[in-house]
Amino acid sequence: DAGITQSPRHKVTETGTPVTLRCHQTENHRYMYWYRQDPGHGLRLIHYSYGVKDTDKGEVSDGYSVSRSKTEDFLLTLESATSSQTSVYFCATTDYTSGNTIYFGEGSWLTVV
Amino acid sequence: GENVEQHPSTLSVQEGDSAVIKCTYSDSASNYFPWYKQELGKGPQLIIDIRSNVGEKKDQRIAVTLNKTAKHFSLHITETQPEDSAVYFCAAFETGGSYIPTFGRGTSLIVHP
């Protein structure tokens, strides 16, 4: 298994507060992704990165920002959390060096009350 | 961008039966089609994949077929067992290009003993 660690794994926060989720990888993969998983919607891409300081928006990016200052770390920030952002968030990585296999972290459960 | 449709959303079978999950994609540039299994409370894990230059691939009880002309690919599980019960996701993306994986909405497979 690829070394992908997400933190925190579980968090409850209040509406309007900022929240940062961290993804740390030890595989030196170039590509990193943040997905959210909701019932009936599968995995939807929030933001992705194709290198240090190179990021772009996915299909559900409103209300989220990301940063990647090092190859191994990809941060997802909810600028002002809303109840609609209650979800399970997955970080994923890939690279041609791993045969393009997408590796997922174990998920971060976020509840916004 | 890519659009991936996955059917059925729920599949219930008896132990020992076969199960088939189908996906269609829209972007002819996509050239890599992985399938993921997600167990409760965990991140998705790769179970099998296929590339656009191959029509079929097998790994023990699991097989994947790809029809590039029709833009669809399918997962076949034979001799199903209760431990096959999980959510399965298909995905499609262009390696060497956009590197943005798009996932189907998932199929909940239930295998009854």
Side-chain angles (χ1 to χ4, degrees), chain A residues 88-102:
Chain A
V88 184
Y89 292 86
F90 286 99
C91 173
T93 74
T94 191
D95 209 325
Y96 71 91
T97 55
S98 65
N100 301 311
T101 298
I102 308 162

Side-chain angles (χ1 to χ4, degrees), chain A residues 34-38 41-46 59-60:
Chain A
W34 277 107
Y35 289 90
R36 61 179 288 175
Q37 184 174 21
D38 305 288
H41 291 279
L43 294 158
R44 292 183 292 173
L45 184 65
I46 305 170
E59 64 174 300
V60 290

Side-chain angles (χ1 to χ4, degrees), chain B residues 30 46 87:
Chain B
S30 290
L46 179 73
V87 178

Side-chain angles (χ1 to χ4, degrees), chain A residues 6-10 88-91 104-109, chain B residues 41-43:
Chain A
Q6 291 185 227
S7 61
R9 294 291 316 280
H10 298 271
V88 184
Y89 292 86
F90 286 99
C91 173
F104 284 86
E106 289 296 295
S108 293
W109 273 254
Chain B
K42 297 190 175 182

